Amino acid sequence: MAIEISKRAKTIKPSPTLTVSSLAKQMKAEGIDVINFGAGEPDFNTPDVIKNEAKKAIDNNFTRYTNTSGIIELREAIAAKLKRDNNLVCNPNDILVSPGAKASIMFILMTVCNPHDEVLIPSPYWVSYTSQVEMVDAFPVFLPTTMSTSFKINAKQLEEAIFSLKNPKVLILNSPNNPTGSVYIREELEEIAEVCLKHNILIISDEIYEKLIYDGIKHVSIASISDEVREMTVLINGVSKAYAMTGWRLGYAAGPSEIIKQASRIQSHTTSCVNSITQKAAIVALDEGDDSVSVMREEFKKRRDFLVSKLNKIPNVKCFMPKGAFYAMPDVSYYLQNNIKGIENSIDLCEYLLKEFKIAIVPGSAFGADNFVRFSYATSRDNIKEGLKRFEEGLKKCISRVR
Ligand SMILES: Cc1ncc(COP(=O)(O)O)c(C=O)c1O
């Protein structure tokens, strides 16, 4: 090919979570009995009340471009949700509705980052943050966390990192977290917010798993700590995970007026607006969808309890009990550091398990955590049971390959 691919495009790696998922889907389509633990989406159907609203929108010919930032009824519904769930008073004009929270984060990064700015990201992290930061020519700076601190950063660690940097600009906080399932409590958020205020760091608070939280823990949005913190925070959320609407593509950013206004300009020249039908459906999701969320949450909790307790019974596997989202991330370092032929890292292990035991799990290296693998429990309990059997067998067999 005569056209050279840009340097920017060349630096972007494919999303490993989507790669595993599509490989598993392909194997399934070929008739291979694969158990897929790779999914980053609920396995439930979108609730009927939401689907019916979309059908109505089509029948009413609500099928044209809308204004860039989203129809006003939807932005009002989001503002009402922010007040109800997060105790945040937000002007609908300070909300930008985008085609997915992924797009929301990208547009905010494009709005605030200059080349060589540094973006702080607690690690393990959601795969797309790194690529998105790189796409705006900024630098991701990772703040490592471990199971012993429940995979959470603290204020001291954050401040030390900020002191060591030249152009620290943004902190991306994700609670509940993908992939670890850790959830920050109010006191922890207060300390982190104080450091960000002191050093003029914008917080991008990704709260997409807000509704999927267990054990009676209450989700706290860092933006709700104080008016000052709210002015330094862009809250990101959406309908994908809570209402089983991943394919509908709708997320939003709520934050300081100037940032939202500029991000909206970027959206106007890229994706224009979210599809009109999804916007109508999302109003119903936000206003009436919470009963369906409770049902899904209950089921996720049962699967989590089963999966994590079984994982912790497998020899030399340790798994943190996730407090939110629908992922479990066991430490499998024993199997990576034991001189097993062909298995030196989490990618090797996942490839081996997929090829020989027909289970798809995501290598921890995708999240900056090579000693781990990620299971999504957005799959049936029967699948989890059978998949765990294969996982345990796979690990047992690989130990017999010690060199
Ligand atoms: C942490 C996190 N943020 C954002 C997203 C993107 O969600 P959306 O479907 O709204 O783009 C995901 C999806 O996997 C996620 O895990």
Side-chain angles (χ1 to χ4, degrees):
M1 191 167 73
I3 301 295
E4 197 196 340
I5 299 294
S6 75
K7 284 193 191 118
R8 171 174 295 131
K10 279 184 192 165
T11 61
I12 305 306
K13 297 162 216 81
S15 161
T17 45
L18 295 183
T19 310
V20 171
S21 239
S22 50
L23 194 59
K25 275 182 195 156
Q26 191 189 320
M27 287 170 77
K28 236 186 167 137
E30 287 164 10
I32 302 168
D33 161 38
V34 179
I35 308 259
N36 187 3
F37 287 109
E41 56 185 344
D43 53 323
F44 302 102
N45 291 327
T46 305
D48 284 344
V49 29
I50 301 172
K51 290 195 288 200
N52 290 340
E53 191 65 20
K55 289 175 194 164
K56 220 156 70 186
I58 296 173
D59 288 342
N60 291 340
N61 295 309
F62 192 74
T63 52
R64 302 204 157 80
Y65 291 132
T66 71
N67 61 338
T68 298
S69 46
I71 54 176
I72 185 65
E73 308 93 285
L74 172 58
R75 284 179 291 124
E76 280 169 356
I78 294 168
K81 178 257 172 255
L82 293 174
K83 179 78 194 82
R84 190 169 63 235
D85 294 344
N86 312 107
N87 198 26
L88 280 168
V89 177
C90 184
N91 186 326
N93 292 331
D94 296 338
I95 294 169
L96 170 63
V97 178
S98 298
K102 196 181 257 185
S104 306
I105 299 167
M106 186 69 207
F107 294 146
I108 297 300
L109 287 171
M110 287 171 86
T111 304
V112 299
C113 287
N114 283 314
H116 310 304
D117 279 344
E118 288 146 331
V119 177
L120 295 137
I121 305 175
S123 160
Y125 47 80
W126 178 48
V127 281
S128 292
Y129 297 145
T130 324
S131 297
Q132 293 196 336
V133 168
E134 287 168 353
M135 277 194 273
V136 297
D137 296 325
F139 297 127
V141 176
F142 302 113
L143 304 171
T145 68
T146 62
M147 211 185 292
S148 63
T149 56
S150 305
F151 295 111
K152 292 190 256 191
I153 58 161
N154 60 46
K156 183 165 170 281
Q157 178 188 15
L158 175 62
E159 187 155 44
E160 278 171 9
I162 292 170
F163 280 134
S164 72
L165 298 176
K166 267 202 192 133
N167 305 305
K169 182 86 174 258
V170 176
L171 167 70
I172 304 184
L173 206 62
N174 173 215
S175 176
N177 179 271
N178 173 10
T180 64
S182 67
V183 173
Y184 286 83
I185 59 168
R186 175 172 287 276
E187 292 72 27
E188 293 162 341
L189 293 173
E190 279 170 357
E191 289 177 12
I192 290 170
E194 196 181 315
V195 174
C196 291
L197 282 183
K198 185 166 147 199
H199 295 281
N200 204 33
I201 303 288
L202 179 80
I203 303 162
I204 296 181
S205 179
D206 180 350
E207 302 177 18
I208 193 84
Y209 294 98
E210 168 187 17
K211 301 272 176 187
L212 300 174
I213 204 162
Y214 315 108
D215 305 332
I217 299 171
K218 196 178 158 6
H219 171 77
V220 178
S221 171
I222 196 166
S224 68
I225 300 278
S226 69
D227 289 346
E228 272 174 301
V229 179
R230 191 170 56 108
E231 273 308 300
M232 284 298 283
T233 304
V234 178
L235 182 156
I236 305 288
N237 208 330
V239 296
S240 285
K241 314 287 177 172
Y243 308 103
M245 292 178 72
T246 47
W248 297 67
R249 309 310 301 131
L250 190 142
Y252 57 87
S257 305
E258 195 53 30
I259 293 178
I260 296 298
K261 199 164 84 192
Q262 296 294 344
S264 173
R265 283 195 193 141
I266 292 175
Q267 176 159 302
S268 75
H269 292 295
T270 49
T271 58
S272 297
C273 59
V274 171
N275 98 56
S276 52
I277 299 147
T278 293
Q279 291 192 52
K280 283 283 190 191
I283 297 174
V284 173
L286 292 165
D287 288 349
E288 299 172 36
D290 280 1
D291 287 347
S292 314
V293 180
S294 306
V295 176
M296 295 188 233
R297 187 172 43 234
E298 268 308 299
E299 175 59 24
F300 278 138
K301 185 188 172 304
K302 285 183 191 146
R303 295 176 188 178
R304 176 201 68 159
D305 292 348
F306 178 75
L307 172 66
V308 175
S309 76
K310 291 277 180 206
L311 282 171
N312 277 318
K313 286 191 183 117
I314 298 176
N316 304 305
V317 170
K318 282 188 297 282
C319 188
F320 169 73
M321 178 57 87
K323 303 291 179 198
F326 42 71
Y327 309 103
M329 202 182 63
D331 180 336
V332 291
S333 51
Y334 176 86
Y335 296 91
L336 309 179
Q337 291 155 10
N338 246 320
N339 241 350
I340 297 166
K341 204 166 140 223
I343 298 179
E344 281 166 16
N345 54 45
S346 57
I347 297 180
D348 294 341
L349 182 66
C350 290
E351 273 182 13
Y352 157 79
L353 290 168
L354 183 57
K355 282 191 191 135
E356 298 191 24
F357 290 85
K358 314 288 180 274
I359 50 166
I361 48 182
V362 185
S365 57
F367 314 101
D370 196 32
N371 283 336
F372 297 81
V373 289
R374 190 194 75 175
F375 282 74
S376 158
Y377 48 89
T379 186
S380 72
R381 272 185 265 176
D382 283 348
N383 277 347
I384 294 174
K385 220 171 183 175
E386 172 59 25
L388 275 169
K389 222 160 69 191
R390 296 183 192 185
F391 181 63
E392 183 164 9
E393 212 179 303
L395 292 183
K396 210 191 292 168
K397 285 248 166 77
C398 82
I399 277 294
S400 65
R401 293 179 9 176
V402 171
R403 278 185 281 230

